[in-house]
Amino acid sequence: LDERRVWPYPSVMLTGKQIRAALAGIGWSRADLSKASGVSPRTIQRMCEADGVPSANAENLALVEKALIGEGVAFPEGGVQF
């Protein structure tokens, strides 16, 4: 059993813009997000550079969402809130 597995999959479909804004808002680098989420640095880079919803698998999106929410970030209706 993979302890990183997140169920259910993401409650929101984060966009690259939301991920970048969240990182800026909490003062994290992409490397910080990679470490906190367990998602590879290259995948984090692709997610951040995406136009719209990244073409990453749902589990990786859920892990990123969980890491950011754990730092107090919320994603109301396509936005970002701290």
Side-chain angles (χ1 to χ4, degrees):
L1 178 65
D2 183 352
E3 292 178 11
R4 296 181 327 138
R5 187 170 295 272
V6 180
W7 297 99
Y9 284 150
S11 60
V12 296
M13 294 306 289
L14 300 180
T15 64
K17 183 177 180 179
Q18 286 175 297
I19 295 168
R20 292 189 307 272
L23 292 176
I26 61 175
W28 272 14
S29 67
R30 293 175 183 183
D32 295 328
L33 180 56
S34 175
K35 183 176 180 181
S37 66
V39 176
S40 77
R42 178 68 182 122
T43 298
I44 296 294
Q45 179 182 345
R46 284 193 311 268
M47 287 179 173
C48 288
E49 293 172 354
D51 236 1
V53 176
S55 61
N57 72 48
E59 186 172 354
N60 283 342
L61 286 170
L63 290 166
V64 165
E65 178 188 38
K66 181 180 177 184
L68 294 171
I69 289 172
E71 291 299 308
V73 179
F75 300 98
E77 297 188 28
V80 179
Q81 189 174 32
F82 308 97

